[in-house]
């Protein structure tokens, strides 16, 4: 019975993650095809506003999702997914469409394998949380610093480190979602939206790095 409930939660989690990815993809493609992305990326203020709202939504989602109604949690999730579509629209201008498709397929395959490992393992992975979080923060800080330094070698090293970091996060987050459900951490209606957000972020980050490594730039 417990196994069936876990599968039910995970199926809803993946469904919501899929909806988020679909929303991001549709917004990104529309923003690119309509030329709206030019207005966003040529205006520092517009890009800053979109980025700031994204950060605020993630913070509110992460800190308050247990206190908020499921409907509000769902709205925050889709607001973030749609906003992310605006910022990711630039990939359609930078890479060939076939490369984007191949990178997405490769990401989906890797995600599926790692998510399955995270779900099936009987090991307690809770001790992964701190080192993964610290590595993520350090990686983000170094990435921001390197935007000003422009060191190519450091950029490549950071991309590989962050790729494997998010591989680990997929396993960890899948295991955490199952553990949270079994512990009755919060209402199931909110848990699968929370899980969808966590896995959505993992998927997007892996996808962007695989695209960077394998994608063919437009001439």
């Amino acid at each position: 019975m417990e196994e069936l409930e876990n599968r039910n939660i995970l199926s809803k989690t993946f469904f919501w993650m899929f909806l988020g990815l679909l929303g991001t993809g549709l917004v990104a493609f529309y923003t690119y095809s309509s030329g709206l992305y030019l207005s966003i990326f040529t205006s520092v203020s517009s890009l800053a506003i979109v980025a700031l709202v994204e950060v605020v939504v993630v913070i509110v989602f992460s800190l308050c999702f247990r206190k908020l109604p499921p409907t509000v949690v769902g709205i925050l999730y889709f607001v973030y997914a749609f906003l992310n579509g605006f910022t990711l629209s630039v990939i359609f201008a930078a890479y060939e469409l076939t490369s984007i498709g191949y990178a997405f397929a490769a990401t989906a395959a890797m995600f599926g394998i790692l998510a399955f490992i995270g779900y099936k393992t009987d090991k307690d992975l809770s001790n992964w949380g701190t080192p993964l979080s610290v590595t993520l923060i350090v990686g983000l800080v170094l990435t921001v610093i390197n935007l000003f330094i422009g060191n190519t070698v450091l950029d490549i090293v950071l991309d590989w480190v962050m790729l494997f970091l998010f591989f680990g996060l997929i396993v960890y987050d899948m295991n955490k979602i199952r553990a949270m459900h079994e512990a009755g951490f919060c209402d199931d209606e909110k848990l699968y939206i929370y899980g969808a957000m966590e896995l959505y972020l993992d998927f997007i980050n892996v996808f962007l790095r695989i695209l960077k490594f394998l994608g063919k730039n437009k001439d």
Side-chain angles (χ1 to χ4, degrees), residues 1 29 49 62 77 113 130 133 143 157 188-189 194 208:
M1 183 65 178
F29 186 74
I49 289 171
S62 301
Y77 171 65
I113 293 170
T130 299
S133 298
T143 299
V157 171
D188 287 347
E189 290 185 358
Y194 170 82
L208 290 176

Side-chain angles (χ1 to χ4, degrees), residues 103-113 203:
F104 187 89
T107 303
M110 290 300 302
F111 180 90
I113 293 170
F203 190 101

Side-chain angles (χ1 to χ4, degrees), residues 198-214:
E198 295 283 294
L199 297 176
Y200 168 93
L201 292 171
D202 296 340
F203 190 101
I204 290 293
N205 278 280
V206 170
F207 166 70
L208 290 176
R209 282 160 181 82
I210 289 179
L211 181 61
K212 188 174 181 179
F213 291 140
L214 304 179

Side-chain angles (χ1 to χ4, degrees), residues 133-149:
S133 298
V134 171
T135 304
L136 177 60
I137 293 171
V138 172
L140 291 174
V141 170
L142 290 176
T143 299
V144 172
I145 292 174
N146 200 44
L147 290 175
F148 299 97
I149 298 175

Side-chain angles (χ1 to χ4, degrees), residues 36-211:
L36 181 59
Y37 79 101
L38 292 173
S39 301
I40 296 175
F41 285 92
T42 55
S43 171
V44 176
S45 59
S46 297
L47 188 58
I49 289 171
V50 172
L52 179 62
V53 175
E54 281 191 69
V55 172
V56 171
V57 170
V58 169
I59 292 174
V60 172
F61 183 96
S62 301
L63 298 179
C64 304
F65 83 96
R66 292 184 67 181
K67 299 178 181 178
L68 297 173
T71 302
V72 176
V73 175
I75 290 173
L76 287 172
Y77 171 65
F78 283 114
V79 166
Y80 179 83
F82 293 155
L83 287 172
N84 210 27
F86 289 120
T87 56
L88 292 183
S89 61
V90 70
I91 68 173
F92 289 103
Y95 298 98
E96 292 186 355
L97 191 59
T98 52
S99 291
I100 295 173
Y102 290 144
F104 187 89
T107 303
M110 290 300 302
F111 180 90
I113 293 170
L114 294 168
F116 180 79
I117 293 172
Y119 174 71
K120 283 296 185 179
T121 184
D122 292 325
K123 294 183 179 179
D124 180 11
L125 303 183
S126 59
N127 58 343
W128 286 25
T130 299
L132 286 173
S133 298
V134 171
T135 304
L136 177 60
I137 293 171
V138 172
L140 291 174
V141 170
L142 290 176
T143 299
V144 172
I145 292 174
N146 200 44
L147 290 175
F148 299 97
I149 298 175
N151 188 298
T152 304
V153 175
L154 178 59
D155 186 53
I156 294 172
V157 171
L158 283 172
D159 279 330
W160 278 106
V161 170
M162 295 297 275
L163 178 63
F164 282 98
L165 168 67
F166 280 100
F167 283 166
L169 279 169
I170 292 171
V171 176
Y172 171 74
D173 286 336
M174 277 297 301
N175 185 263
K176 181 176 70 173
I177 293 167
R178 190 187 71 178
M180 288 170 70
H181 168 62
E182 293 173 352
F185 183 75
C186 66
D187 294 340
D188 287 347
E189 290 185 358
K190 287 193 285 188
L191 178 59
Y192 57 70
I193 302 174
Y194 170 82
M197 173 68 99
E198 295 283 294
L199 297 176
Y200 168 93
L201 292 171
D202 296 340
F203 190 101
I204 290 293
N205 278 280
V206 170
F207 166 70
L208 290 176
R209 282 160 181 82
I210 289 179
L211 181 61

